[in-house]
Amino acid sequence: MTPKHNNKTLIGITGSIGSGKSTVLAMFGELGVETISSDAIARSFTEPTSPVIGELVQIFGDVILDTNGAPIRSKIAELAFSDKTKLQALNDLLHPLVRKSFLEFLNSRKEGSIVAWEVPLLFETDAHTICDFTVTVAVSPEVAWERVQSRGGMDYEDFQKRNLSQMDLEKKKSLSDFVVTNDNQREKLKEQIVIIDSEIKKRIKK
């Protein structure tokens, strides 16, 4: 196959909230694949040094700022997932910035690199169109909620709102090149990632 990015292979990883996307990303990293997370990039734009604090305030108001004028990430999430218009405005602001940062990272990798990219809204934002392969991490809603609960900071209503803001999991699975099941058995999850990694490397050589 011919990679889409100057002889660099891009794997897009997605799944519902609490599915274990970050765990899968890390496992690809353990196999020598370079990794990057859209969520991590997006968080940099809600840090105190964010260059878009003004734009965030325009969308949500001063209520998202703490006493030092820094964004309160949990407040932004609460307001965004309670109002589709605000969520869309946030996505319209952050997605181009995240995509730009990601492409800078990808372009800086050497030829022949394999890069795994964690993207919660992989299909919703058409990010899959620039990927060579796509992977959806599947999990039952019950297990996903258990994981989110264990992390704290989110109630069940927020969990449901975030799930509803994303594409249906079955639809994501149908659009993906690979699907992995992450049901809290780490060894079985790693076995699946090893198989996918091996298959991708075989296809690259063809």
Side-chain angles (χ1 to χ4, degrees), residues 84-174:
K84 289 183 178 179
T85 301
K86 284 184 169 60
L87 178 60
Q88 187 60 53
L90 178 65
N91 288 339
D92 289 344
L93 171 65
L94 294 186
H95 286 162
L97 298 170
V98 171
R99 183 72 65 90
K100 181 175 182 289
S101 294
F102 161 72
L103 288 174
E104 288 173 353
F105 171 85
L106 181 62
N107 292 334
S108 70
R109 303 302 95 183
K110 65 182 181 181
E111 284 196 15
S113 296
I114 303 175
V115 177
W117 178 30
E118 179 193 352
V119 195
L121 301 180
L122 181 71
F123 297 109
E124 294 90 333
T125 60
D126 290 331
H128 67 288
T129 61
I130 67 170
C131 296
D132 299 292
F133 302 97
T134 53
V135 179
T136 287
V137 187
V139 67
S140 70
E142 294 77 18
V143 172
W145 171 232
E146 286 175 10
R147 289 184 186 143
V148 171
Q149 275 185 302
S150 70
R151 298 200 295 251
M154 186 185 303
D155 60 27
Y156 187 70
E157 184 179 356
D158 286 340
F159 170 74
Q160 289 287 68
K161 286 178 181 176
R162 295 198 188 198
N163 268 330
L164 290 172
S165 72
Q166 296 187 6
M167 180 184 289
D168 177 73
L169 180 60
E170 292 303 314
K171 179 68 172 175
K172 289 184 179 183
K173 287 164 64 175
S174 72

Side-chain angles (χ1 to χ4, degrees), residues 6-205:
N6 297 323
N7 204 30
K8 301 164 193 172
T9 302
L10 180 59
I11 307 166
I13 300 171
T14 194
S16 58
I17 182 171
S19 60
K21 298 181 295 295
S22 297
T23 300
V24 168
L25 185 73
M27 286 181 173
F28 271 108
E30 291 167 5
L31 296 172
V33 175
E34 298 197 55
T35 62
I36 186 167
S37 165
S38 283
D39 270 355
I41 298 172
R43 281 195 293 272
S44 71
F45 291 106
T46 55
E47 296 285 350
T49 55
S50 169
V52 292
I53 290 178
E55 288 88 340
L56 291 171
V57 170
Q58 285 180 351
I59 296 171
F60 299 104
D62 291 338
V63 68
I64 65 163
L65 302 179
D66 64 18
T67 54
N68 296 315
I72 305 170
R73 196 172 288 136
S74 60
K75 191 65 178 178
I76 293 172
E78 174 193 333
L79 294 173
F81 289 104
S82 298
D83 185 323
K84 289 183 178 179
T85 301
K86 284 184 169 60
L87 178 60
Q88 187 60 53
L90 178 65
N91 288 339
D92 289 344
L93 171 65
L94 294 186
H95 286 162
L97 298 170
V98 171
R99 183 72 65 90
K100 181 175 182 289
S101 294
F102 161 72
L103 288 174
E104 288 173 353
F105 171 85
L106 181 62
N107 292 334
S108 70
R109 303 302 95 183
K110 65 182 181 181
E111 284 196 15
S113 296
I114 303 175
V115 177
W117 178 30
E118 179 193 352
V119 195
L121 301 180
L122 181 71
F123 297 109
E124 294 90 333
T125 60
D126 290 331
H128 67 288
T129 61
I130 67 170
C131 296
D132 299 292
F133 302 97
T134 53
V135 179
T136 287
V137 187
V139 67
S140 70
E142 294 77 18
V143 172
W145 171 232
E146 286 175 10
R147 289 184 186 143
V148 171
Q149 275 185 302
S150 70
R151 298 200 295 251
M154 186 185 303
D155 60 27
Y156 187 70
E157 184 179 356
D158 286 340
F159 170 74
Q160 289 287 68
K161 286 178 181 176
R162 295 198 188 198
N163 268 330
L164 290 172
S165 72
Q166 296 187 6
M167 180 184 289
D168 177 73
L169 180 60
E170 292 303 314
K171 179 68 172 175
K172 289 184 179 183
K173 287 164 64 175
S174 72
L175 294 171
S176 296
D177 295 304
F178 302 98
V179 176
V180 297
T181 302
N182 183 14
D183 57 3
N184 285 335
Q185 296 187 53
R186 187 178 178 85
E187 288 184 8
K188 288 188 176 180
L189 178 63
K190 184 63 178 286
E191 287 173 4
Q192 293 175 79
I193 302 308
V194 168
I195 290 170
I196 292 172
D197 177 75
S198 176
E199 178 61 25
I200 286 173
K201 287 171 179 172
K202 285 179 186 175
R203 295 190 193 182
I204 292 170
K205 292 177 181 177

